[in-house]
């Protein structure tokens, strides 16, 4: 008896052929029906969601977690609106990236194609069911969804609405499949099916990402781990620095683009801490610092350990380290960064350019918050995740990250010498 | 006691920082010294090579294998010439791929960066030591080389020349490192070092590729397996078809871009086989075919089995299948292709366009030999391998496949709402 993983992955692979060749209009029709049906079916979606919420309460899940799980009419409207925005985006499939002629008369076109079948492994928020499936669909990819067990009824209900809408548009409903059994062993199996799955994208916390990256035999795009830095240089505008630091830590501390570590040049640690500490205390940020920053910062600051430099807190906690030069800051970042986002605050353009040149992260900023690392903030109109790896896609991933290419060659009988 | 794999990978990682920031001029100087020194050191290189050849003879290696192993003055001159051609290629690092402004005033540049450290796992020909190291160097990447044990002395000698030349140019010699112990266990370990190695590229036969893909925890670009097809459509120019088929099978049967399977529309199988069989017999190609093609082809053709459809012969053997429509041809290719290269021979433009649209391989041809799938034939001026996967790079890989990108954002203090 075949496992659900094999059945669903194979079904998605079968559906992917029609999807790869579907007109933009047909795909957009499917998206329109999805948006319409999310609203039309809101009651039954929320009914399924209520079952998940009740089970979560019974298990004693925290209020914050239950809130992430809950679907309200507003949130469903938000999902539908998100789908309509994707309809408006250009189709990334069938684009000619390059076109040239060879001396022997061959004409070559490099054109974009879908990746094929993408497995989305996620937890918590049921939104991902819709957001991810819709981006995959627009880019001509079939999807195998596997969400967290806590949201199983919600996710299955949402996937059902999506599948029905896809069929209405004349596309195979298996263009979106969902694992109904969320057993860990099945995910492991799913991630080995190289013959059916072209890519796996994990969306969730560090534990989930680690599990997917370590288990997968299929290609994975490593997402989301963000030990992000702000470096305040000796030539920084300190008021700007305070504003950036506050925003980068406090605006949404649980996101991957939130800063974790502040690096300060020793020449400005005193005046910076004098301005910064009251602001962070007012925002309830716990600080852990080295000796120089602690002395400059006054009371209430813990001593930082090496463990703090490598920790992604995802909370209102910040580690602070004093450095004696740009070189030291670069060395610290090289050692502890997860290559997500780093900012330098400085008015010195040479220093800024050296930072931009030498820091190897997906997004490197001068004088702006790390919180801008986001597909919508970058202007992509979509985001399936933020890649921290260097192959295939890096940083915020829009529709372009979900396609590959092939070479089409037109000849008149040429043979190779 | 640390293993050689960890020591060399870490050394390469350390060297990669200077390399990532090296001027184009400095890298080209290093390449110039490599080309010069290959010639200046030819005698000692050939002396090391003689030791490998002697050991190979003693082991009873075949003449063909020994030939692949052997370095002659001509072959060394060819290596040096290959290095000089890379000097002439544009630097793929530091290119601005896109540049734009956001409504909030942020300016974003998407610029290319090296991948970092690339492990090249190869066998047989010592040329790869030079070819691969030089492409990595030009693209700002450090290299960890691990060649076959049969060429160990040659590879170490070549790597030594390269390292010395690199140091002469003022770059760290560990920009190119080589595993001196070729134990299988060490390769396995090397391929798990995600903290030091950004990418592994296998160069060799199916067994080596399989081992690397299955073992690696680091990202891998799957190269080289080529079950390539030629489909002769009912509207084909049959003389062109014969010319293309002969070239695609016979010109270099051991390469990945050589054809393995011929698909023929039933309406033309008779006239095609009449023209084709004498040509293939004269070129000593063994044919294995289905019933219809055997009957059309006359004597001396074996019966093909399903195993033949999935076999990459790498020899003068070709399987032949009759199909009743383009749909059947597409279905066969979808089932058995390794997504490398496929050709349709037809004068019908609608049929040609459908083939181009629906075949999902790295290179899809109309009326030309599959043997053109090659970095030099495509005009890239270089080739580190031919990728059969869809992520990061597909088809012939030139310098552009060896880089990633990062986003550089210039602000004036912007924070996210």
């Amino acid at each position: 008896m075949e496992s659900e993983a094999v059945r669903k992955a194979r079904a998605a692979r079968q559906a992917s052929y029609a999807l790869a060749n579907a007109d933009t209009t047909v795909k957009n029709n499917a998206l329109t029906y999805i948006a319409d049906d999310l609203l039309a079916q809101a009651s039954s979606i929320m009914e399924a969601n209520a079952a998940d919420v009740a089970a979560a309460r019974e298990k004693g899940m925290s209020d914050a977690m239950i809130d992430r799980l809950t679907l309200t009419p507003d949130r469903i409207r938000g999902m539908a609106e998100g789908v309509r925005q994707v309809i408006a985006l250009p189709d990334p499939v069938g684009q000619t990236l390059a076109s040239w002629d060879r001396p022997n008369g061959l004409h070559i076109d490099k054109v974009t194609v879908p990746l094929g079948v993408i497995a989305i492994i996620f937890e918590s928020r049921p939104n991902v069911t819709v957001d991810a499936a819709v981006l995959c669909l627009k880019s001509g990819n079939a999807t195998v969804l596997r969400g967290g067990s806590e949201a199983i009824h919600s996710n299955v209900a949402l996937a059902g609405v999506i599948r029905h809408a896809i069929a209405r548009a004349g596309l195979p409903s298996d263009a979106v499949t969902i694992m109904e059994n969320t057993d860990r062993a099945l995910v492991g199996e799913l991630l080995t099916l190289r013959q059916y799955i072209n890519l796996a994208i994990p969306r969730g916390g560090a534990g989930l990402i680690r599990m997917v990256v370590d288990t997968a035999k299929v290609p994975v795009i490593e997402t989301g781990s963000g030990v992000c830095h702000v470096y305040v240089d000796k030539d920084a505008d300190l008021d700007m620095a305070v504003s950036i630091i506050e925003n980068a830590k406090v605006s949404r501390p649980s996101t991957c683009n939130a800063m974790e570590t502040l690096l300060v040049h020793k020449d400005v640690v005193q005046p910076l801490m004098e301005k910064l500490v009251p602001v962070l205390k007012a925002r309830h940020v716990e600080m852990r610092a080295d000796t120089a920053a602690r002395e400059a910062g006054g009371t209430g600051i813990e001593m930082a350990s090496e463990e703090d430099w490598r920790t992604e807190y995802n909370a209102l906690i910040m580690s602070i380290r004093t450095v004696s030069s740009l070189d030291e800051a670069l060395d610290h970042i090289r050692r502890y960064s997860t290559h997500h986002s780093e900012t330098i605050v400085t008015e010195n353009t040479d220093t800024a350019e050296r930072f931009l040149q030498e820091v190897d992260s997906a997004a490197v900023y001068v004088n702006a918050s790390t919180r801008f690392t986001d597909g919508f903030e970058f202007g992509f109109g979509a985001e399936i995740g933020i890649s921290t790896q260097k192959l295939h896609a890096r940083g915020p991933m829009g529709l372009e990250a979900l396609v590959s290419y092939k070479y089409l060659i037109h000849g008149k009988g040429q043979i190779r010498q």
Side-chain angles (χ1 to χ4, degrees), chain A:
Chain A
M1 168 91 182
E2 272 182 343
S3 78
E4 187 191 3
V6 172
R7 273 191 298 112
K8 300 264 164 102
R10 194 198 308 118
R13 164 63 64 198
Q14 265 310 117
S16 73
Y17 301 131
L19 202 45
N21 295 304
D23 269 357
T24 305
T25 310
V26 174
K27 291 187 290 188
N28 282 339
N29 285 344
L31 295 177
T32 301
Y33 296 146
I34 290 171
D36 291 347
D37 291 357
L38 281 172
L39 297 177
Q41 301 292 331
S43 315
S44 62
I45 292 167
M46 287 191 295
E47 209 176 292
N49 183 244
D52 285 328
V53 171
R57 288 203 191 289
E58 216 165 308
K59 281 207 185 98
M61 198 183 267
S62 73
D63 284 345
M65 293 295 284
I66 287 175
D67 178 65
R68 288 172 89 171
L69 187 52
T70 305
L71 292 175
T72 62
D74 254 3
R75 287 179 176 180
I76 293 176
R77 257 190 298 271
M79 275 187 220
E81 182 49 36
V83 177
R84 294 193 207 281
Q85 286 173 9
V86 175
I87 295 168
L89 296 174
D91 192 337
V93 173
Q95 302 293 324
T96 301
L97 300 176
S99 193
W100 68 101
D101 294 294
R102 294 298 294 147
N104 59 13
L106 289 180
H107 177 76
I108 304 178
D109 291 300
K110 182 178 180 180
V111 300
T112 56
V113 298
L115 286 172
V117 179
I118 302 179
I120 311 281
I121 314 296
F122 61 107
E123 50 190 16
S124 307
R125 303 183 308 115
N127 290 50
V128 179
T129 304
V130 177
D131 301 344
V134 151
L135 290 174
C136 289
L137 190 70
K138 179 78 184 209
S139 53
N141 294 293
T143 321
V144 180
L145 298 162
R146 191 278 190 178
S149 52
E150 68 281 0
I152 186 61
H153 300 99
S154 314
N155 290 336
V156 169
L158 288 166
V161 168
I162 291 170
R163 286 168 58 84
H164 188 254
I166 286 172
R168 274 217 278 155
L171 290 170
S173 54
D174 283 336
V176 174
T177 64
I178 181 159
M179 294 293 293
E180 304 199 17
N181 182 338
T182 55
D183 270 4
R184 182 60 79 84
L186 274 180
V187 187
E189 187 186 1
L190 188 68
L191 293 172
T192 61
L193 302 176
R194 282 181 75 92
Q195 71 277 41
Y196 299 130
I197 293 174
N198 294 88
L199 175 65
I201 300 179
R203 289 280 300 277
L208 179 119
I209 295 168
R210 180 90 281 121
M211 183 273 286
V212 171
V213 169
D214 287 348
T215 312
K217 293 286 181 202
V218 303
V220 182
I221 303 259
E222 194 159 352
T223 61
S225 72
V227 176
C228 302
H229 299 79
V230 174
Y231 168 51
V232 179
D233 180 58
K234 64 177 172 61
D235 297 320
D237 173 334
L238 296 183
D239 292 320
M240 183 191 291
V242 171
S243 165
I244 285 173
I245 293 163
E246 182 191 14
N247 181 260
K249 173 84 279 184
V250 174
S251 54
R252 268 193 74 185
S254 61
T255 61
C256 53
N257 55 22
M259 72 171 288
E260 307 299 330
T261 303
L262 168 63
L263 303 173
V264 201
H265 192 286
K266 61 175 165 47
D267 291 358
V268 294
V269 65
Q270 185 70 43
L272 177 71
M273 292 302 274
E274 274 169 22
K275 290 174 183 277
L276 181 64
V277 170
V279 172
L280 293 183
K281 282 185 169 170
R283 306 305 299 271
H284 308 292
V285 177
E286 177 190 328
M287 288 166 274
R288 301 173 186 183
D290 64 3
T291 307
R294 282 186 85 215
E295 280 171 8
T299 61
I301 299 178
E302 296 296 314
M303 194 70 205
S305 70
E306 214 241 347
E307 198 50 38
D308 287 299
W309 308 144
R310 60 178 87 256
T311 304
E312 183 177 1
Y313 301 107
N314 283 329
L316 291 176
I317 305 169
M318 180 187 304
S319 57
I320 307 173
R321 186 178 203 178
T322 314
V323 296
S324 37
S325 63
L326 171 63
D327 277 310
E328 255 193 61
L330 292 172
D331 195 66
H332 179 104
I333 291 172
R334 192 172 287 151
R335 198 182 299 247
Y336 298 105
S337 139
T338 53
H339 310 288
H340 191 297
S341 305
E342 338 291 343
T343 293
I344 184 172
V345 186
T346 188
E347 298 295 300
N348 184 316
T349 43
D350 290 340
T351 308
E353 291 309 309
R354 223 193 119 204
F355 189 85
L356 290 171
Q357 168 66 29
E358 298 205 25
V359 170
D360 186 30
S361 291
V364 192
Y365 295 82
V366 180
N367 295 338
S369 172
T370 55
R371 291 268 296 121
F372 285 110
T373 308
D374 173 277
F376 296 91
E377 290 292 333
F378 275 26
F380 296 166
E383 192 203 276
I384 195 140
I386 298 178
S387 163
T388 50
Q389 67 183 45
K390 296 183 82 170
L391 264 79
H392 185 71
R394 195 176 198 200
M397 295 189 284
L399 289 174
E400 283 173 22
L402 302 180
V403 298
S404 179
Y405 53 83
K406 62 183 177 184
Y407 294 98
L408 305 180
I409 306 97
H410 284 82
K412 297 185 197 305
Q414 287 90 337
I415 58 173
R416 185 160 170 196
Q417 301 315 309

